[in-house]
Amino acid sequence: MTEWKPDIASRRGRRYLAIADALSDDIKNGLVRPGDRLPTHRELAYQMGLSVSTVSKAYAEAVRRQLILSEVGRGTFVMPNAWTDLSRIGVDSRQIEPIDMAFNCPVPTPMLIEAVSGSLKMISSSDRVDELMHYHRPWVGLPAHRAAAANWIEKRGLRTSPENILITNGAQHAHAIILASLLEPNQIVVTEELTDPGIKFLTANRSLQLKGLAMDQDGMLPDALEAACRTMKVKALITVPNHHSPTLTIMPVERRKAIAEVAIRYGVTIIEDDVYGPLLENPPPALSSFAPEQSFYFTSLSKCISPGLRIGFLAAPPGRVEELIPGLGATTWMVSMIPAEIATIWIRDGSAERLVAWQRQELARRQKLARQILIGHEYRALPSSLHLWLPLPATWRAEGFVAQARSRGLAVTPAEAFVVGHVASPQAIRISLGGATPSRTELQRGLEIVADLLRERPAATYLVL
Ligand SMILES: Cc1ncc(COP(=O)(O)O)c(C=O)c1O
Protein backbone atom coordinates (compact mmCIF):
# COMPACT_ATOMS: atom_id res chain seq x y z
CA MET A 1 0.00 0.00 0.00
CA THR A 2 1.24 3.53 -0.80
CA GLU A 3 2.06 5.65 2.23
CA TRP A 4 0.16 8.51 0.67
CA LYS A 5 -0.56 11.42 2.96
CA PRO A 6 -1.82 14.53 1.19
CA ASP A 7 -0.51 17.92 2.18
CA ILE A 8 -3.56 20.15 2.48
CA ALA A 9 -2.15 22.78 4.86
CA SER A 10 -1.98 25.46 2.16
CA ARG A 11 -5.27 24.57 0.51
CA ARG A 12 -8.33 26.67 1.20
CA GLY A 13 -11.97 25.58 1.23
CA ARG A 14 -13.64 22.38 2.30
CA ARG A 15 -11.31 19.67 3.61
CA TYR A 16 -12.71 16.86 1.51
CA LEU A 17 -12.30 18.88 -1.69
CA ALA A 18 -8.77 19.83 -0.63
CA ILE A 19 -7.92 16.12 -0.24
CA ALA A 20 -9.39 15.27 -3.66
CA ASP A 21 -7.48 18.19 -5.26
CA ALA A 22 -4.25 17.10 -3.54
CA LEU A 23 -4.74 13.56 -4.84
CA SER A 24 -5.30 14.86 -8.35
CA ASP A 25 -2.07 16.91 -8.18
CA ASP A 26 -0.09 14.04 -6.63
CA ILE A 27 -1.18 11.71 -9.45
CA LYS A 28 -0.24 14.35 -12.02
CA ASN A 29 3.15 14.84 -10.39
CA GLY A 30 3.83 11.11 -10.18
CA LEU A 31 3.80 10.93 -6.37
CA VAL A 32 1.14 8.24 -6.62
CA ARG A 33 0.83 6.11 -9.71
CA PRO A 34 -2.00 4.33 -11.55
CA GLY A 35 -2.61 1.03 -9.76
CA ASP A 36 -1.29 2.26 -6.36
CA ARG A 37 -3.45 1.21 -3.46
CA LEU A 38 -4.41 4.12 -1.20
CA PRO A 39 -4.74 4.04 2.61
CA THR A 40 -8.12 2.97 3.96
CA HIS A 41 -10.55 5.71 4.97
CA ARG A 42 -9.84 5.00 8.64
CA GLU A 43 -6.03 4.99 8.27
CA LEU A 44 -5.96 8.26 6.35
CA ALA A 45 -8.40 9.89 8.78
CA TYR A 46 -6.17 8.85 11.67
CA GLN A 47 -2.96 10.08 9.98
CA MET A 48 -4.49 13.44 9.10
CA GLY A 49 -6.42 13.97 12.32
CA LEU A 50 -9.72 14.22 10.40
CA SER A 51 -13.02 12.38 10.71
CA VAL A 52 -13.57 9.19 8.70
CA SER A 53 -16.59 10.77 7.03
CA THR A 54 -14.42 13.64 5.65
CA VAL A 55 -12.04 11.11 4.09
CA SER A 56 -14.96 9.06 2.75
CA LYS A 57 -16.37 12.19 1.10
CA ALA A 58 -12.93 12.98 -0.36
CA TYR A 59 -12.63 9.47 -1.83
CA ALA A 60 -16.19 9.67 -3.17
CA GLU A 61 -15.25 12.93 -4.89
CA ALA A 62 -12.11 11.31 -6.35
CA VAL A 63 -14.24 8.44 -7.68
CA ARG A 64 -16.54 10.99 -9.28
CA ARG A 65 -13.52 12.63 -10.96
CA GLN A 66 -12.46 9.17 -12.20
CA LEU A 67 -9.16 9.35 -10.32
CA ILE A 68 -9.67 6.27 -8.18
CA LEU A 69 -11.71 3.10 -8.07
CA SER A 70 -12.99 1.31 -4.95
CA GLU A 71 -13.30 -2.46 -4.96
CA VAL A 72 -15.37 -4.01 -2.20
CA GLY A 73 -13.10 -6.11 0.04
CA ARG A 74 -9.91 -5.14 -1.84
CA GLY A 75 -9.40 -1.44 -1.27
CA THR A 76 -9.08 1.82 -3.14
CA PHE A 77 -6.80 2.12 -6.14
CA VAL A 78 -5.62 4.90 -8.43
CA MET A 79 -7.37 4.36 -11.76
CA PRO A 80 -5.41 2.86 -14.60
CA ASN A 81 -4.82 5.84 -16.95
CA ALA A 82 -5.75 8.44 -14.31
CA TRP A 83 -4.17 11.59 -15.75
CA THR A 84 -1.43 9.65 -17.61
CA ASP A 85 -2.24 9.47 -21.32
CA LEU A 86 -4.48 12.51 -21.29
CA SER A 87 -2.20 14.73 -19.26
CA ARG A 88 0.62 14.09 -21.74
CA ILE A 89 -1.46 15.67 -24.48
CA GLY A 90 -2.66 18.38 -22.17
CA VAL A 91 -6.31 17.36 -21.87
CA ASP A 92 -8.09 17.40 -18.54
CA SER A 93 -9.87 14.03 -18.27
CA ARG A 94 -12.67 15.67 -16.33
CA GLN A 95 -13.63 17.67 -19.41
CA ILE A 96 -14.18 14.60 -21.60
CA GLU A 97 -17.78 13.49 -21.68
CA PRO A 98 -17.95 9.73 -22.01
CA ILE A 99 -20.29 8.00 -24.46
CA ASP A 100 -23.20 7.39 -22.10
CA MET A 101 -24.40 3.79 -22.34
CA ALA A 102 -25.11 3.68 -18.62
CA PHE A 103 -28.54 5.26 -18.52
CA ASN A 104 -31.80 3.91 -19.93
CA CYS A 105 -33.85 6.51 -21.76
CA PRO A 106 -35.82 6.65 -24.99
CA VAL A 107 -34.24 7.86 -28.22
CA PRO A 108 -35.16 11.45 -29.11
CA THR A 109 -37.12 11.84 -32.31
CA PRO A 110 -38.17 14.94 -34.31
CA MET A 111 -41.73 13.55 -34.02
CA LEU A 112 -41.55 14.19 -30.29
CA ILE A 113 -40.56 17.84 -30.72
CA GLU A 114 -43.40 18.32 -33.22
CA ALA A 115 -45.87 16.65 -30.86
CA VAL A 116 -44.79 18.86 -27.94
CA SER A 117 -45.01 22.08 -29.89
CA GLY A 118 -48.32 21.08 -31.51
CA SER A 119 -49.95 20.33 -28.17
CA LEU A 120 -48.53 23.44 -26.49
CA LYS A 121 -50.09 25.52 -29.28
CA MET A 122 -53.36 23.65 -28.87
CA ILE A 123 -53.37 24.20 -25.10
CA SER A 124 -52.48 27.87 -25.33
CA SER A 125 -55.27 28.59 -27.80
CA SER A 126 -57.83 26.65 -25.79
CA ASP A 127 -59.93 27.88 -22.89
CA ARG A 128 -58.30 25.36 -20.54
CA VAL A 129 -55.19 27.35 -19.63
CA ASP A 130 -56.86 28.96 -16.65
CA GLU A 131 -58.06 25.65 -15.26
CA LEU A 132 -54.61 24.11 -15.67
CA MET A 133 -53.01 26.86 -13.62
CA HIS A 134 -54.81 26.15 -10.33
CA TYR A 135 -54.55 23.77 -7.40
CA HIS A 136 -56.97 20.91 -7.84
CA ARG A 137 -58.03 19.04 -4.77
CA PRO A 138 -57.95 16.16 -3.95
CA TRP A 139 -54.70 16.32 -5.92
CA VAL A 140 -55.05 12.97 -7.71
CA GLY A 141 -55.50 14.51 -11.19
CA LEU A 142 -58.19 16.10 -13.35
CA PRO A 143 -61.02 13.78 -14.46
CA ALA A 144 -59.93 14.00 -18.12
CA HIS A 145 -56.34 13.09 -17.18
CA ARG A 146 -57.44 10.16 -15.04
CA ALA A 147 -59.71 8.88 -17.83
CA ALA A 148 -56.85 8.99 -20.36
CA ALA A 149 -54.56 7.24 -17.85
CA ALA A 150 -57.10 4.45 -17.25
CA ASN A 151 -57.33 3.99 -20.98
CA TRP A 152 -53.53 3.79 -21.36
CA ILE A 153 -53.24 1.29 -18.49
CA GLU A 154 -55.99 -0.93 -19.95
CA LYS A 155 -53.87 -1.28 -23.09
CA ARG A 156 -51.05 -2.49 -20.80
CA GLY A 157 -53.19 -5.38 -19.58
CA LEU A 158 -54.98 -4.12 -16.47
CA ARG A 159 -58.68 -3.26 -16.28
CA THR A 160 -59.15 -0.21 -14.10
CA SER A 161 -61.32 2.88 -13.99
CA PRO A 162 -60.62 6.61 -13.72
CA GLU A 163 -61.61 6.80 -10.03
CA ASN A 164 -58.76 4.39 -9.14
CA ILE A 165 -56.14 6.52 -10.88
CA LEU A 166 -53.61 8.93 -9.47
CA ILE A 167 -51.40 10.98 -11.80
CA THR A 168 -47.74 11.06 -10.74
CA ASN A 169 -44.45 12.68 -11.72
CA GLY A 170 -43.21 9.42 -13.26
CA ALA A 171 -42.70 5.91 -11.94
CA GLN A 172 -40.11 6.78 -9.31
CA HIS A 173 -42.64 9.19 -7.83
CA ALA A 174 -45.31 6.48 -7.82
CA HIS A 175 -42.94 4.29 -5.79
CA ALA A 176 -42.32 7.15 -3.36
CA ILE A 177 -46.04 7.82 -2.92
CA ILE A 178 -46.85 4.18 -2.22
CA LEU A 179 -43.96 3.64 0.18
CA ALA A 180 -44.69 6.86 2.08
CA SER A 181 -48.42 6.16 2.29
CA LEU A 182 -48.61 2.44 2.99
CA LEU A 183 -45.41 1.33 4.70
CA GLU A 184 -43.84 1.98 8.08
CA PRO A 185 -40.09 2.04 8.83
CA ASN A 186 -38.52 -1.41 9.41
CA GLN A 187 -41.20 -3.31 7.55
CA ILE A 188 -40.00 -5.97 5.15
CA VAL A 189 -40.28 -5.46 1.41
CA VAL A 190 -39.15 -8.11 -1.08
CA THR A 191 -38.09 -7.63 -4.68
CA GLU A 192 -36.07 -9.31 -7.43
CA GLU A 193 -32.48 -10.14 -6.37
CA LEU A 194 -31.25 -7.51 -8.83
CA THR A 195 -33.24 -4.31 -8.96
CA ASP A 196 -33.29 -0.70 -10.04
CA PRO A 197 -30.99 1.52 -7.90
CA GLY A 198 -33.90 3.94 -7.47
CA ILE A 199 -35.90 1.23 -5.68
CA LYS A 200 -32.94 0.55 -3.39
CA PHE A 201 -32.59 4.23 -2.65
CA LEU A 202 -36.28 4.82 -1.95
CA THR A 203 -36.70 1.81 0.35
CA ALA A 204 -33.54 2.71 2.28
CA ASN A 205 -34.74 6.27 2.54
CA ARG A 206 -37.97 5.06 4.12
CA SER A 207 -35.94 2.77 6.47
CA LEU A 208 -37.56 -0.35 5.03
CA GLN A 209 -35.82 -3.71 5.00
CA LEU A 210 -35.38 -4.67 1.35
CA LYS A 211 -34.75 -8.37 0.63
CA GLY A 212 -33.82 -9.75 -2.78
CA LEU A 213 -35.55 -12.93 -4.02
CA ALA A 214 -34.03 -15.50 -6.36
CA MET A 215 -34.94 -15.33 -10.04
CA ASP A 216 -34.66 -17.54 -13.11
CA GLN A 217 -35.07 -16.72 -16.80
CA ASP A 218 -38.79 -16.01 -16.15
CA GLY A 219 -38.28 -13.56 -13.29
CA MET A 220 -38.91 -13.91 -9.57
CA LEU A 221 -39.41 -17.48 -8.31
CA PRO A 222 -42.75 -18.17 -6.56
CA ASP A 223 -40.96 -20.62 -4.24
CA ALA A 224 -38.56 -17.89 -3.15
CA LEU A 225 -41.52 -15.62 -2.38
CA GLU A 226 -43.27 -18.39 -0.50
CA ALA A 227 -40.12 -19.17 1.55
CA ALA A 228 -39.71 -15.49 2.42
CA CYS A 229 -43.37 -15.20 3.48
CA ARG A 230 -43.09 -18.32 5.65
CA THR A 231 -40.02 -17.07 7.49
CA MET A 232 -40.62 -13.30 7.67
CA LYS A 233 -43.50 -10.87 7.92
CA VAL A 234 -43.36 -9.67 4.33
CA LYS A 235 -45.43 -6.52 3.94
CA ALA A 236 -45.00 -5.76 0.26
CA LEU A 237 -43.56 -7.08 -2.97
CA ILE A 238 -42.03 -4.70 -5.49
CA THR A 239 -41.65 -6.26 -8.90
CA VAL A 240 -40.85 -5.31 -12.50
CA PRO A 241 -42.46 -8.14 -14.51
CA ASN A 242 -41.86 -6.62 -17.97
CA HIS A 243 -38.37 -5.93 -19.34
CA HIS A 244 -36.94 -6.33 -15.86
CA SER A 245 -33.89 -4.16 -15.40
CA PRO A 246 -31.15 -5.31 -15.61
CA THR A 247 -31.92 -8.97 -16.48
CA LEU A 248 -34.62 -8.33 -19.15
CA THR A 249 -36.83 -11.17 -17.94
CA ILE A 250 -40.53 -11.04 -18.84
CA MET A 251 -42.72 -12.98 -16.42
CA PRO A 252 -44.92 -15.44 -18.35
CA VAL A 253 -48.60 -15.58 -17.49
CA GLU A 254 -48.32 -18.77 -15.40
CA ARG A 255 -45.53 -17.23 -13.33
CA ARG A 256 -47.65 -14.11 -12.75
CA LYS A 257 -50.54 -16.26 -11.53
CA ALA A 258 -48.24 -18.21 -9.21
CA ILE A 259 -46.68 -15.05 -7.70
CA ALA A 260 -50.13 -13.45 -7.25
CA GLU A 261 -51.43 -16.61 -5.59
CA VAL A 262 -48.64 -16.55 -2.96
CA ALA A 263 -49.14 -12.82 -2.38
CA ILE A 264 -52.88 -13.34 -1.85
CA ARG A 265 -52.32 -16.25 0.55
CA TYR A 266 -49.92 -14.22 2.74
CA GLY A 267 -51.68 -10.85 2.40
CA VAL A 268 -48.66 -9.24 0.70
CA THR A 269 -49.27 -5.92 -1.07
CA ILE A 270 -48.10 -6.04 -4.69
CA ILE A 271 -46.34 -2.97 -6.09
CA GLU A 272 -46.04 -3.54 -9.83
CA ASP A 273 -43.59 -1.24 -11.58
CA ASP A 274 -44.38 -1.42 -15.30
CA VAL A 275 -42.15 1.41 -16.42
CA TYR A 276 -40.85 -0.63 -19.39
CA GLY A 277 -44.15 -2.38 -20.21
CA PRO A 278 -45.29 0.02 -22.96
CA LEU A 279 -42.23 -1.01 -24.99
CA LEU A 280 -43.83 -4.44 -25.42
CA GLU A 281 -46.25 -4.53 -28.34
CA ASN A 282 -48.35 -7.36 -26.90
CA PRO A 283 -47.71 -7.43 -23.16
CA PRO A 284 -49.01 -10.28 -20.99
CA PRO A 285 -51.80 -9.30 -18.59
CA ALA A 286 -50.47 -7.22 -15.71
CA LEU A 287 -49.49 -9.18 -12.59
CA SER A 288 -51.93 -6.92 -10.71
CA SER A 289 -54.81 -8.33 -12.75
CA PHE A 290 -54.39 -11.63 -10.86
CA ALA A 291 -54.63 -9.94 -7.43
CA PRO A 292 -56.61 -6.76 -8.12
CA GLU A 293 -57.72 -6.21 -4.52
CA GLN A 294 -54.17 -5.81 -3.18
CA SER A 295 -52.12 -4.55 -6.13
CA PHE A 296 -50.82 -1.09 -6.90
CA TYR A 297 -49.79 -0.88 -10.54
CA PHE A 298 -48.01 1.99 -12.25
CA THR A 299 -46.31 2.91 -15.48
CA SER A 300 -44.89 6.11 -16.90
CA LEU A 301 -44.02 7.79 -20.18
CA SER A 302 -40.34 8.16 -19.24
CA LYS A 303 -38.92 5.04 -20.89
CA CYS A 304 -41.28 4.74 -23.84
CA ILE A 305 -41.79 8.37 -24.95
CA SER A 306 -39.90 10.98 -22.97
CA PRO A 307 -38.63 11.43 -19.43
CA GLY A 308 -39.14 15.18 -19.84
CA LEU A 309 -42.89 15.15 -19.33
CA ARG A 310 -42.33 13.47 -15.92
CA ILE A 311 -45.75 11.87 -16.10
CA GLY A 312 -46.78 8.54 -14.63
CA PHE A 313 -50.07 6.76 -13.99
CA LEU A 314 -50.82 4.81 -10.84
CA ALA A 315 -53.81 2.45 -10.56
CA ALA A 316 -54.84 1.62 -6.99
CA PRO A 317 -57.11 -1.29 -6.05
CA PRO A 318 -60.81 -0.33 -6.14
CA GLY A 319 -61.67 2.12 -3.36
CA ARG A 320 -58.08 2.62 -2.16
CA VAL A 321 -56.82 5.67 -4.03
CA GLU A 322 -57.52 7.90 -1.01
CA GLU A 323 -54.93 5.98 1.02
CA LEU A 324 -52.26 7.37 -1.29
CA ILE A 325 -53.14 11.01 -0.78
CA PRO A 326 -50.81 11.52 2.24
CA GLY A 327 -47.84 10.31 0.19
CA LEU A 328 -48.90 12.38 -2.81
CA GLY A 329 -49.35 15.49 -0.70
CA ALA A 330 -46.04 14.97 1.09
CA THR A 331 -44.11 14.71 -2.17
CA THR A 332 -45.74 17.18 -4.57
CA TRP A 333 -49.37 18.06 -3.65
CA MET A 334 -50.29 17.51 -7.26
CA VAL A 335 -48.40 17.10 -10.53
CA SER A 336 -47.93 19.98 -12.92
CA MET A 337 -51.06 20.10 -15.06
CA ILE A 338 -49.47 21.12 -18.38
CA PRO A 339 -47.49 17.89 -18.89
CA ALA A 340 -50.52 15.89 -17.71
CA GLU A 341 -52.64 17.73 -20.30
CA ILE A 342 -50.09 17.03 -23.04
CA ALA A 343 -50.03 13.32 -22.13
CA THR A 344 -53.82 13.28 -22.22
CA ILE A 345 -53.93 14.87 -25.68
CA TRP A 346 -51.38 12.33 -26.97
CA ILE A 347 -53.27 9.36 -25.56
CA ARG A 348 -56.55 10.60 -27.00
CA ASP A 349 -55.33 11.46 -30.48
CA GLY A 350 -53.08 8.40 -30.88
CA SER A 351 -49.75 10.32 -30.84
CA ALA A 352 -48.67 8.45 -27.71
CA GLU A 353 -49.03 5.05 -29.42
CA ARG A 354 -47.28 6.39 -32.56
CA LEU A 355 -44.35 7.70 -30.51
CA VAL A 356 -44.00 4.37 -28.71
CA ALA A 357 -44.17 2.49 -32.01
CA TRP A 358 -41.35 4.66 -33.38
CA GLN A 359 -39.34 3.94 -30.24
CA ARG A 360 -39.79 0.18 -30.66
CA GLN A 361 -38.58 0.36 -34.26
CA GLU A 362 -35.54 2.46 -33.40
CA LEU A 363 -34.63 0.17 -30.49
CA ALA A 364 -34.92 -2.86 -32.80
CA ARG A 365 -32.46 -1.17 -35.20
CA ARG A 366 -30.09 -0.43 -32.32
CA GLN A 367 -30.32 -3.99 -31.00
CA LYS A 368 -29.50 -5.25 -34.51
CA LEU A 369 -26.39 -3.07 -34.61
CA ALA A 370 -25.37 -4.49 -31.21
CA ARG A 371 -25.81 -8.06 -32.50
CA GLN A 372 -23.55 -7.32 -35.44
CA ILE A 373 -20.80 -5.76 -33.33
CA LEU A 374 -20.98 -8.20 -30.41
CA ILE A 375 -21.21 -11.26 -32.63
CA GLY A 376 -19.93 -14.38 -30.86
CA HIS A 377 -20.70 -13.04 -27.37
CA GLU A 378 -23.64 -14.32 -25.37
CA TYR A 379 -25.89 -11.74 -23.81
CA ARG A 380 -29.54 -11.12 -23.08
CA ALA A 381 -31.61 -8.65 -25.10
CA LEU A 382 -35.11 -8.16 -26.45
CA PRO A 383 -35.96 -6.53 -29.78
CA SER A 384 -37.58 -3.59 -28.00
CA SER A 385 -35.37 -3.36 -24.92
CA LEU A 386 -33.53 -0.21 -24.02
CA HIS A 387 -30.48 -2.14 -22.92
CA LEU A 388 -28.66 -5.44 -23.08
CA TRP A 389 -27.34 -7.53 -20.21
CA LEU A 390 -23.90 -8.95 -20.81
CA PRO A 391 -22.35 -11.60 -18.53
CA LEU A 392 -18.57 -11.15 -18.75
CA PRO A 393 -16.00 -13.79 -19.70
CA ALA A 394 -14.16 -15.31 -16.73
CA THR A 395 -11.11 -13.08 -17.29
CA TRP A 396 -13.05 -9.95 -16.42
CA ARG A 397 -14.65 -8.62 -13.26
CA ALA A 398 -17.43 -6.11 -13.81
CA GLU A 399 -15.84 -3.21 -11.93
CA GLY A 400 -12.55 -3.62 -13.76
CA PHE A 401 -14.37 -3.77 -17.09
CA VAL A 402 -16.34 -0.64 -16.28
CA ALA A 403 -13.16 1.19 -15.21
CA GLN A 404 -11.37 0.19 -18.43
CA ALA A 405 -14.35 1.18 -20.55
CA ARG A 406 -14.44 4.50 -18.75
CA SER A 407 -10.79 5.16 -19.40
CA ARG A 408 -11.57 4.69 -23.13
CA GLY A 409 -14.46 7.14 -22.93
CA LEU A 410 -17.44 4.82 -22.43
CA ALA A 411 -19.82 4.66 -19.45
CA VAL A 412 -21.65 1.37 -18.78
CA THR A 413 -23.21 0.03 -15.54
CA PRO A 414 -21.76 -2.83 -13.48
CA ALA A 415 -24.09 -5.49 -12.01
CA GLU A 416 -23.05 -4.29 -8.54
CA ALA A 417 -25.33 -1.24 -8.98
CA PHE A 418 -28.39 -3.52 -8.99
CA VAL A 419 -27.53 -5.98 -6.23
CA VAL A 420 -29.85 -6.00 -3.21
CA GLY A 421 -28.05 -6.38 0.12
CA HIS A 422 -24.69 -8.05 0.60
CA VAL A 423 -25.01 -11.03 -1.71
CA ALA A 424 -22.26 -11.63 -4.27
CA SER A 425 -22.68 -9.62 -7.43
CA PRO A 426 -22.79 -11.36 -10.83
CA GLN A 427 -19.92 -10.38 -13.12
CA ALA A 428 -22.05 -8.72 -15.77
CA ILE A 429 -22.71 -5.26 -17.17
CA ARG A 430 -25.76 -3.41 -18.42
CA ILE A 431 -25.28 -1.59 -21.71
CA SER A 432 -27.94 0.96 -22.58
CA LEU A 433 -28.68 1.45 -26.25
CA GLY A 434 -31.22 4.24 -25.88
CA GLY A 435 -31.29 7.99 -26.12
CA ALA A 436 -28.48 8.77 -23.70
CA THR A 437 -26.44 8.08 -26.87
CA PRO A 438 -28.58 9.87 -29.47
CA SER A 439 -26.20 9.40 -32.41
CA ARG A 440 -25.87 5.97 -33.98
CA THR A 441 -22.23 6.69 -34.82
CA GLU A 442 -21.45 7.17 -31.15
CA LEU A 443 -23.48 4.09 -30.29
CA GLN A 444 -21.43 2.09 -32.76
CA ARG A 445 -18.19 3.47 -31.29
CA GLY A 446 -19.35 2.57 -27.76
CA LEU A 447 -20.24 -0.98 -28.81
CA GLU A 448 -16.87 -1.35 -30.55
CA ILE A 449 -15.12 -0.37 -27.31
CA VAL A 450 -17.11 -3.12 -25.56
CA ALA A 451 -16.20 -5.65 -28.28
CA ASP A 452 -12.50 -4.67 -28.11
CA LEU A 453 -12.45 -5.07 -24.33
CA LEU A 454 -14.15 -8.46 -24.55
CA ARG A 455 -11.41 -9.62 -26.91
CA GLU A 456 -8.67 -8.30 -24.64
CA ARG A 457 -7.59 -9.36 -21.19
CA PRO A 458 -7.78 -6.92 -18.31
CA ALA A 459 -4.96 -4.36 -18.49
CA ALA A 460 -1.76 -5.42 -16.74
CA THR A 461 -1.98 -2.52 -14.29
CA TYR A 462 -5.32 -3.83 -13.15
CA LEU A 463 -4.07 -7.40 -12.70
CA VAL A 464 -1.03 -6.25 -10.70
CA LEU A 465 -3.22 -4.56 -8.06
C1 LIG B 1 -37.54 -0.19 -12.84
C2 LIG B 1 -37.60 1.31 -12.89
N1 LIG B 1 -38.63 1.95 -12.30
C3 LIG B 1 -38.72 3.29 -12.34
C4 LIG B 1 -37.77 4.06 -12.96
C5 LIG B 1 -37.95 5.55 -12.97
O1 LIG B 1 -38.97 5.93 -13.88
P1 LIG B 1 -39.45 7.46 -14.06
O2 LIG B 1 -38.39 8.15 -14.87
O3 LIG B 1 -40.77 7.38 -14.73
O4 LIG B 1 -39.55 8.05 -12.69
C6 LIG B 1 -36.66 3.42 -13.56
C7 LIG B 1 -35.56 4.12 -14.23
O5 LIG B 1 -35.19 5.22 -14.12
C8 LIG B 1 -36.58 2.02 -13.54
O6 LIG B 1 -35.57 1.37 -14.12
Side-chain angles (χ1 to χ4, degrees), residues 37-52:
R37 184 155 143 205
L38 296 181
T40 64
H41 299 203
R42 196 168 291 282
E43 283 161 350
L44 190 60
Y46 178 73
Q47 281 175 37
M48 298 184 71
L50 295 170
S51 70
V52 176

Side-chain angles (χ1 to χ4, degrees), residues 169-173 175 196 240 245 273 275-276 300 302-303 310:
N169 290 319
Q172 182 81 342
H173 184 217
H175 272 299
D196 173 52
V240 182
S245 175
D273 176 344
V275 72
Y276 296 106
S300 88
S302 312
K303 304 293 182 190
R310 239 28 352 256

Side-chain angles (χ1 to χ4, degrees), residues 155-158 241-242 250-254 256 272 274 277 280-287 289-290 297:
K155 294 216 179 86
R156 265 73 249 171
L158 179 68
N242 288 328
I250 297 180
M251 248 189 223
V253 175
E254 288 311 313
R256 289 171 197 240
E272 180 173 4
D274 198 22
L280 285 175
E281 205 166 351
N282 296 304
L287 171 63
S289 66
F290 301 108
Y297 166 99

Side-chain angles (χ1 to χ4, degrees), residues 175 179 183 189-192 195 199 203 208 210 220 236-240 268-273 298:
H175 272 299
L179 299 185
L183 294 161
V189 176
V190 293
T191 191
E192 284 91 0
T195 196
I199 293 174
T203 47
L208 296 162
L210 186 66
M220 181 184 288
L237 156 69
I238 298 178
T239 180
V240 182
V268 174
T269 299
I270 295 175
I271 301 171
E272 180 173 4
D273 176 344
F298 52 82

Side-chain angles (χ1 to χ4, degrees), residues 138-141 166-168 173 177 180-181 324-335:
W139 322 118
V140 289
L166 191 150
I167 310 291
T168 71
H173 184 217
I177 293 170
S181 304
L324 300 175
I325 292 178
L328 176 65
T331 49
T332 192
W333 287 126
M334 57 170 218
V335 303

